[in-house]
Amino acid sequence: MTNASEWARQLHKWHQDDRLAHAYLCVAEHSQSVKKFARLAVGVLLCEHPQNGAACGVCSSCLQIESGNHPNLEWLAPDGASLKIQQMRTAIKSDTLKSMSGNLHLLVMEEVHKLTVEAANAILKWVEEPGAGRLFLLLTTSPSSLMATLRSRVQQMRISEDQEDASGNIQETEVFSFDTQEKWEELQELVREFGDSAFAGARTGWHLVSDKWVKWNFNALQTLAFADLLIHYLHECASTAKDSAAIHRYAELALAAFQVRRQLQSHVNAQLAWETYLINASRRDEGLGR
Ligand SMILES: [Zn+2]
């Protein structure tokens, strides 16, 4: 079985090899898994500098996706109980106005089993003969409820659940805790090492912390907690720093860490996001986090 991240990486590889089909029916048991897949796939396919099959999270394309206004991405969700024909007509019309340059354009539809019959009929031709560079990701948890005429036009991929999805979405308000004082202190140490590496502009800082990072196998919630602790640490450093250049740098690093924290909420690869953070921190002259 292939999970959301593995499927996203696979699509990216097919894209590089110019072997993408024009439409996929993406099936998972739970809607959060199939949506997670779509977010990862959209990210890596549109990212300007994807690394190891994941979006970088910091390029202008990634930031446009995050802010919900990437010109090459149309993301449709049911309007109330169904995906309605009017939504489809609007989407088709706006698609025909877009460039046919062959650059990748992604069309994501959530819960396609909620297409009304008229809406499904309206998109048959569009899905079968899309414009240049179009890629449809049709998401569903109930493929058998989809009209056979539509189902037969698309390739199917089954996304398996992974642990993180099964445990539910990230709750921002949950409190992070380690089970022993010793581990907690180890974490604080990790945060300090990481923050100091960033301040020193040392890319190698990642190697100091990556062993622990892997060993502890942070879950999604813990990566957010790490970000919070780092931001707190950098603020503390800024408030005790002696000269204005140091204060400025700590403040910039804290802001960039805050941006990483935001990206983490949209399921970017945490390890990659922090590595990129350190790389940006080492490019002192080019500004941080942009
Ligand atoms: Zn990117």
Side-chain angles (χ1 to χ4, degrees):
M1 290 290 270
T2 309
N3 70 21
S5 332
E6 289 158 350
W7 266 122
R9 225 173 290 138
Q10 182 63 59
L11 272 195
H12 179 236
K13 179 150 185 7
W14 284 338
H15 178 46
Q16 286 178 317
D17 299 344
D18 205 16
R19 285 172 52 210
L20 273 184
H22 59 268
Y24 294 93
L25 182 63
C26 315
V27 184
E29 199 179 331
H30 299 291
S31 64
Q32 67 210 31
S33 306
V34 75
K35 273 194 259 182
K36 174 182 174 181
F37 156 75
R39 280 193 297 267
L40 290 170
V42 162
V44 68
L45 288 170
L46 295 179
C47 176
E48 292 161 19
H49 311 289
Q51 294 166 45
N52 306 326
C56 75
V58 291
C59 70
S60 63
S61 192
C62 284
L63 296 178
Q64 278 179 316
I65 293 170
E66 195 192 319
S67 60
N69 52 24
H70 196 293
N72 291 16
L73 172 63
E74 183 79 49
W75 191 299
L76 297 161
D79 172 15
S82 58
L83 280 160
K84 300 189 167 65
I85 187 162
Q86 197 48 49
Q87 285 178 276
M88 298 303 124
R89 285 188 178 138
T90 309
I92 293 171
K93 194 170 170 205
S94 111
D95 185 54
T96 55
L97 296 173
K98 286 182 181 169
S99 130
M100 292 287 170
S101 65
N103 285 340
L104 197 59
H105 282 63
L106 300 181
L107 299 125
V108 181
M109 279 185 214
E110 287 182 27
E111 302 189 80
V112 283
H113 51 278
K114 293 187 178 169
L115 279 163
T116 64
V117 174
E118 300 78 35
N121 277 321
I123 64 168
L124 283 181
K125 194 168 179 316
W126 188 32
V127 171
E128 190 166 46
E129 295 168 16
R134 267 53 175 176
L135 173 65
F136 286 89
L137 298 177
L138 309 177
L139 317 185
T140 187
T141 50
S142 178
S144 57
S145 319
L146 193 64
M147 258 174 46
T149 43
L150 184 57
R151 209 168 54 223
S152 66
R153 284 166 163 79
V154 294
Q155 289 203 17
Q156 204 172 123
M157 59 170 66
R158 284 223 157 243
I159 297 149
S160 67
E161 308 292 316
D162 49 34
Q163 287 260 291
E164 200 178 290
D165 297 330
S167 68
N169 291 324
I170 301 169
Q171 293 294 317
E172 271 231 68
T173 49
E174 273 184 69
V175 179
F176 171 81
S177 71
F178 257 124
D179 45 5
T180 64
Q181 177 70 23
E182 199 177 283
K183 272 192 179 173
W184 176 252
E185 280 166 10
E186 221 181 321
L187 177 68
Q188 300 276 15
E189 180 60 32
L190 180 69
V191 168
R192 280 194 295 272
E193 279 177 21
F194 190 91
D196 295 345
S197 305
F199 183 78
R203 290 180 197 211
T204 49
W206 178 252
H207 302 298
L208 294 173
V209 296
S210 65
D211 289 349
K212 265 180 221 155
W213 190 277
V214 170
K215 189 177 87 188
W216 289 353
N217 191 22
F218 279 156
N219 64 25
L221 190 60
Q222 288 164 339
T223 59
L224 286 180
F226 175 84
D228 288 340
L229 290 168
L230 179 66
I231 292 164
H232 180 73
Y233 174 67
L234 293 167
H235 279 157
E236 261 186 0
C237 290
S239 65
T240 53
K242 296 280 185 286
D243 64 288
S244 64
I247 294 170
H248 181 70
R249 180 155 174 86
Y250 277 121
E252 266 197 324
L253 285 167
L255 188 64
F258 185 71
Q259 285 172 346
V260 173
R261 191 193 189 286
R262 274 179 51 199
Q263 291 156 16
L264 293 175
Q265 286 171 291
S266 38
H267 293 283
V268 302
N269 179 329
Q271 197 166 330
L272 197 61
W274 287 119
E275 284 188 70
T276 309
Y277 173 85
L278 282 181
I279 290 169
N280 287 339
S282 70
R283 293 183 192 140
R284 283 163 177 263
D285 304 331
E286 297 166 34
L288 291 162
R290 317 234 159 229

